[in-house]
């Protein structure tokens, strides 16, 4: 591999990894609080991209305004899903909640197929993202630079919210012990709602940036990024936000670098990541940063 | 002593009644085979294959309470095994025209006879069981819902392999011209076998251990149940019958390609077992069969319709929207499904006259009782 | 070796840390065959943690657990159950979706001899064994006066009967040592009095050694032959009920907690 392609692929891997990280955070936050794999999270990601698409293409709003509005709308969708579908099954056996999540995921995908159609739509990206930037010998697309920067900015805001605000404190407390937190007079349902809102907003930002990176969107676009991001969350240690970020970068880099080094593997790209997941569950089930979640007896 | 004799007597009576029911089923099938058209027969056969898949899926999800998303992967393993074994040699040369098929499959094929077909099905089942074993080891070592993601990942790995391992699977094109061996007798025969075996397991001490693990892992382990072994057992048996179901499906539709076993297959099975009642074998049997028929009928929803002067264009994919909404609604409002954990059993049927005589209307379905 | 004194359970230097917290510190205890020993202490003193170490739910950071002289430290809970220790839980943990009879039958699974395939195919070898274990289970329910509920779902039983069923389920594993975690929790004085008689009765009838945690002092003082007191994971006293009642350290520990 020449230095030029190496730098290009590295930038590519980092930007892909930062997107996985953004999605993975949403999975890990919900899992940390509810012990629920929110299968619909990958479709929230798709919904975010579509909101932006329609705001830009149909309502002709400026790009940045559309993106911000799309993120807000998607956060509302996330909260609505929690309110309508997940809250009623919160005290049901865990398997019921998981089945509900699978149902919501399939519902969003198929609703997408029925309403906007299966045909991919071209996504208009801002000039900033399309511009080519030179680093040393390598020409790198603006997306590969801007995506990681924006992602890290978003994560910084998130970390501020979690560690410096009252809401963040409530979220951490709910994740540690939901019953005690409720007894202390915190409205747990509201905290969970906000968690869904934040996770969905990050997923929407990820979806919009994904659409900038691979400028075509379709209703099933969330499935693979979503599952890989969940894998990233597991590899980083499920329930752990820093772990989810590390996992995201690891997965993104492995995916891009393995294929760049061995082009013959390109067909196995998706399978590879899941293979990695199985290996990880076998050798280090708690993930890179995770600790064993002890069950109370 | 009298109690013992009575228990032995009811057990034999139950076996006899089951045999009679199976006999009646096969007479009905004979009638159907000669009288019904191919299209209808095909729906019935698909229904039977769904029974095999759904009943085995319920063993891990409903009875053992472990959320697997794996049946599509295990069915693919069984399907490809049967296809590779049963596809006649001349047809193999015709299918793999770009790259040659790898050894040993390029040098032999099973003759298209019932004996070899059943051998192929069992091998397909064993492949499914092996797949379950491999996924089970990392997933069951720890508590939590790792099985869901591991099984989904496994299904995707199988999909990727099926698309890329062209010398073995012929990639996205798949195989055509597989002998149509899965007659109505084969399909229903296996449906009966799978149902009886899973029901026997569920009612046995092993089944009780599985249900105990579902209800409370910590307590089950403290009472001497090996949680790992119990989950593994349920999962491997489930993988076996999923493999058999995949193996039946392929010679039913005579072709195979990676898209036959996507996640949608698992999703359909999930709806079936939830609707029938997680943990109810008889519920799964009834809903699996009804689902196969209903999803044919629901094709009408997707076709263009003319209601008087109003024309509604066909909306492809509407069925899945309905199904997924149905799944969520079931979970919220009717979690126990149609049958809950109730099992239709001879003992229950026998108890009806007594209940009617007592004028005691059962408030809810009673559970399987002690003498089964 | 056999001096007439037969140690059933021996805990030596048990210590367990969760993160920085030392939940149990250097805990030693020997229980003789047929004894009825109580473990008391204020809330959060580490009583249940000791039970969880004995039954294998937790692995101790240091120290060993011996059952009849055999080192069982770090064994999986199911193997410990098979070795002869059974327990109940502080907050009843029944298999709520199973019938009362099935709850008891689950505990007999560990002694099942029939192979899985003979159960799957319902072969006569399995059916015979199934009939036998059902008979045993029904006998047990009869001795514990639970027969009328045999076909009820465990989750539908009244609370008191659920507690009784949990003991029945533990007894069905055929234990030599029974651990009871707050058996009288949530019971009124009358029920507690009945429970005391019941515990003594099963000890004699099933030839058991019993180790119990309890908050109800009347129960502990009434039936235990020996009482151990712990506070903050450390043993602070041991003795006969009368000695414990007067022990200033025990009084301090309980009063220090807010006069409970």
């Amino acid at each position: 591999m020449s230095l030029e392609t190496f730098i290009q692929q590295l930038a590519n891997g980092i930007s892909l990894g930062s997107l996985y990280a953004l999605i993975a955070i949403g999975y890990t936050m919900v899992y940390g609080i509810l012990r629920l794999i929110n299968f619909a999270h990958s479709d929230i990601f798709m919904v975010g991209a579509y909101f932006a698409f329609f705001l830009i293409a149909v309502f002709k709003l400026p790009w940045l305004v559309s993106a911000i509005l799309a993120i807000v709308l998607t956060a509302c969708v996330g909260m609505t899903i929690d309110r309508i579908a997940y809250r009623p099954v919160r005290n049901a056996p865990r398997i019921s909640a998981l089945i509900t999540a699978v149902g919501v995921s399939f519902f969003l995908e198929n609703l997408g197929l029925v309403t906007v159609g299966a045909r991919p739509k071209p996504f208009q990206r801002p000039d900033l993202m399309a511009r080519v930037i030179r680093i040393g010998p390598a020409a790198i697309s603006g997306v590969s630079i801007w995506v990681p920067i924006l992602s890290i900015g978003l994560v910084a805001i998130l970390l501020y919210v979690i560690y410096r605000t009252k809401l963040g404190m409530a979220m951490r407390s709910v994740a540690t012990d939901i019953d005690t937190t409720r007894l202390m007079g915190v409205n747990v349902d509201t905290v969970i709602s906000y968690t869904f809102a934040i996770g969905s907003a990050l997923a929407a930002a990820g979806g919009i940036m994904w659409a900038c990176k691979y400028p075509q969107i379709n209703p099933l676009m969330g499935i693979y990024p979503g599952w890989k991001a969940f894998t990233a969350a597991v590899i980083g240690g499920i329930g752990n936000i820093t772990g989810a970020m590390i996992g995201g970068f690891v997965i993104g880099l492995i995916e891009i670098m393995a294929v760049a080094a061995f082009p013959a593997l390109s067909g196995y790209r998706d399978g590879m990541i899941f293979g990695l997941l199985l290996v990880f569950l076998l050798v280090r089930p708690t993930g890179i940063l995770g600790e064993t979640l002890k069950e109370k007896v | 002593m009298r109690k013992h004799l009575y228990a032995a007597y009811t057990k034999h009576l139950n076996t006899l009644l089951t045999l009679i029911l199976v006999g009646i089923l096969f007479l009905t099938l004979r009638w159907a085979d000669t009288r019904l058209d191919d299209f209808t027969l095909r729906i019935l056969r698909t229904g039977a294959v769904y029974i095999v898949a759904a009943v085995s899926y319920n063993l891990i999800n409903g009875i053992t309470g472990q959320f697997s998303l794996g049946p599509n992967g295990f069915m693919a393993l069984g399907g490809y095994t049967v296809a590779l074994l049963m596809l006649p040699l001349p047809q193999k040369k015709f299918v793999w025209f770009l790259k040659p098929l790898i050894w040993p499959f390029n040098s032999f094929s099973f003759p298209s006879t019932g004996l070899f077909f059943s051998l192929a099905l069992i091998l397909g089942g064993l492949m499914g069981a092996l797949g379950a074993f491999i996924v089970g080891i990392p997933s069951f070592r720890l508590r939590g819902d790792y099985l869901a993601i591991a099984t989904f990942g496994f299904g995707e790995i199988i999909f990727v392999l099926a698309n890329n391992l062209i010398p073995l699977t012929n990639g996205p094109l798949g195989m055509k011209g597989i002998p149509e061996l899965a007659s109505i007798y084969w399909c229903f025969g296996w449906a009966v076998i799978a149902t009886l075996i899973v029901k026997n397991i569920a009612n046995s001490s092993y089944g009780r251990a599985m249900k105990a693990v579902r209800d409370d892992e910590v307590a089950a382990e403290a009472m001497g149940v090996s949680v790992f072994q119990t989950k593994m057992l349920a999962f491997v048996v489930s993988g076996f019958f999923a493999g058999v179901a995949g193996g039946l499906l392929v010679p039913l539709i005579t072709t195979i390609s990676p898209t036959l076993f996507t996640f949608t297959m698992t999703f359909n099975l999930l709806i079936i077992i939830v609707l029938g009642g997680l943990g109810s074998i008889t519920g799964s049997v009834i809903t699996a069969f009804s689902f196969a028929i209903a999803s044919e009928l629901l094709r009408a929803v997707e076709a263009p319709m003319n209601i008087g002067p109003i024309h509604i264009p066909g909306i492809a994919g509407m069925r899945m929207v309905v199904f997924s909404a149905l799944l969520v609604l079931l979970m919220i409002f009717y979690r126990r499904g149609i049958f809950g954990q109730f099992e239709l059993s001879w003992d229950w049927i026998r108890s009806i006259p007594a209940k009617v005589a007592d004028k005691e209307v059962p408030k809810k379905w009673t559970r399987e009782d002690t003498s089964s | 070796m056999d001096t007439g004194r037969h140690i059933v359970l021996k805990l030596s230097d048990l210590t367990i840390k969760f993160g920085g917290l030392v939940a149990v510190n250097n805990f030693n205890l020997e229980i003789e065959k047929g004894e009825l020993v109580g473990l008391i202490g204020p809330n959060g003193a580490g009583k249940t943690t000791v039970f969880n170490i004995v039954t294998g739910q937790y692995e101790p950071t240091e120290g060993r657990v011996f059952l009849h002289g055999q080192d069982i430290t770090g064994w999986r809970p199911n193997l410990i159950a098979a070795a002869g220790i059974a327990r109940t839980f502080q907050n009843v943990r029944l298999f709520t979706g199973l019938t009362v009879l099935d709850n008891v039958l689950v505990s007999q699974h560990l002694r099942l001899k029939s192979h899985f395939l003979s159960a799957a195919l319902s072969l006569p070898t399995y059916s015979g064994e199934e009939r036998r274990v059902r008979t045993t289970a029904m006998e047990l329910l009869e001795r514990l006066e639970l027969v009328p509920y045999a076909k009820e779902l465990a989750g539908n039983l009244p609370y008191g009967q659920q507690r009784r069923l949990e003991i029945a389920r533990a007894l069905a594993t055929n234990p030599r040592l029974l651990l009871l975690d707050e058996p009288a929790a949530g019971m009124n004085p009358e029920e507690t009095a009945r429970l005391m008689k019941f515990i003594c009765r099963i000890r004699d009838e099933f030839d058991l050694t019993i180790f119990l945690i309890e908050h109800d002092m009347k129960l502990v003082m009434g039936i235990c032959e020996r009482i151990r007191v712990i506070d903050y994971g450390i043993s602070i006293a041991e003795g006969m009920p009368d000695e414990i009642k007067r022990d200033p350290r025990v009084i301090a520990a309980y009063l220090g907690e807010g006069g409970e």
Side-chain angles (χ1 to χ4, degrees), chain A residues 112-126:
Chain A
L113 286 174
V114 169
T115 50
V116 301
R119 198 141 42 97
K121 294 193 160 39
F123 190 85
Q124 188 201 332
R125 53 185 176 185

Side-chain angles (χ1 to χ4, degrees), chain A residues 31 35-37 39 84-86 88-89 91-100 102-104 106-108 110-111 113-114 223-224 227 230-231 234 238 266-272 274-275 277-278 281-286 293 295-297, chain B residues 60-62 65-69 134-135 137-139 141-154 156-157 159-161 164-166 216-218 263-264 267 270 274 278 315-318 320-322 324-325 327-328 331-332 335:
Chain A
Y31 193 90
R35 301 279 178 277
L36 166 74
I37 303 176
F39 292 101
I84 294 178
Y86 296 156
V89 294
N91 295 318
R94 201 135 96 189
I95 197 163
S96 309
L98 288 170
I99 293 172
T100 309
V102 171
V104 173
F106 241 64
F107 180 75
L108 291 176
N110 287 292
L111 192 68
L113 286 174
V114 169
I223 299 177
Y224 276 103
W227 280 100
F230 187 78
T231 303
V234 172
I238 187 93
S266 62
Y268 297 94
R269 201 168 139 159
D270 300 323
M272 207 163 57
F274 291 114
L277 170 75
L278 292 186
L281 287 182
L282 199 59
V283 296
R284 195 169 159 75
T286 53
L293 296 169
E295 188 150 341
K296 238 181 143 180
V297 181
Chain B
I60 186 71
N61 276 24
Q66 305 303 305
F67 193 40
S68 157
L69 292 173
I134 292 171
V135 186
I137 287 176
S139 311
R141 276 172 68 240
L142 36 155
R143 270 196 199 120
D145 306 305
Y146 292 97
L147 185 65
I149 171 131
T151 45
F152 178 88
F154 184 76
E156 291 306 315
I157 291 172
F159 184 74
V160 165
L161 291 179
N164 287 280
L165 284 180
I166 291 171
D216 192 328
E217 266 183 46
V218 172
F263 189 64
T264 309
F267 187 79
L270 190 61
V274 167
L278 282 174
I315 306 169
M318 204 57 207
M320 290 317 289
V321 176
V322 174
S324 42
L327 186 63
V328 175
M331 276 297 119
I332 297 174
R335 204 167 299 141

Side-chain angles (χ1 to χ4, degrees), chain A residues 45 52 66 79 99 101 105 125 143 176 180-181 188 203 218 225 275 277 297:
Chain A
F45 163 92
S66 308
M79 281 166 83
I99 293 172
S105 165
R125 53 185 176 185
V143 178
T176 319
T180 312
T181 313
V188 168
N218 71 74
L277 170 75
V297 181

Side-chain angles (χ1 to χ4, degrees), chain B residues 74-189:
Chain B
F74 306 138
M75 286 176 80
L77 284 176
Y80 274 99
T81 307
V82 169
L84 280 168
L85 291 171
M86 300 310 298
L87 192 66
L89 266 184
Q91 185 68 19
K92 281 181 176 172
K93 293 204 175 70
F94 176 71
V95 166
W96 277 267
F97 60 93
L98 283 174
K99 284 187 188 171
L101 173 64
I102 57 157
W103 189 86
F105 299 107
N106 62 355
S107 55
F108 84 101
S109 280
F110 280 180
S112 301
T113 62
L115 183 69
F116 279 96
F117 179 43
S118 38
L119 184 61
L121 276 176
I122 289 171
L123 288 171
L126 289 175
M127 286 302 290
L130 180 70
F133 184 76
I134 292 171
V135 186
I137 287 176
S139 311
F140 293 140
R141 276 172 68 240
L142 36 155
R143 270 196 199 120
D145 306 305
Y146 292 97
L147 185 65
I149 171 131
T151 45
F152 178 88
F154 184 76
E156 291 306 315
I157 291 172
I158 298 292
F159 184 74
V160 165
L161 291 179
N163 267 314
N164 287 280
L165 284 180
I166 291 171
L168 186 65
T169 64
N170 201 34
L173 294 176
M175 302 169 219
K176 286 184 186 65
I178 299 156
E180 193 171 355
L181 290 163
S183 71
I184 194 160
Y185 301 108
W186 279 104
C187 296
F188 278 88

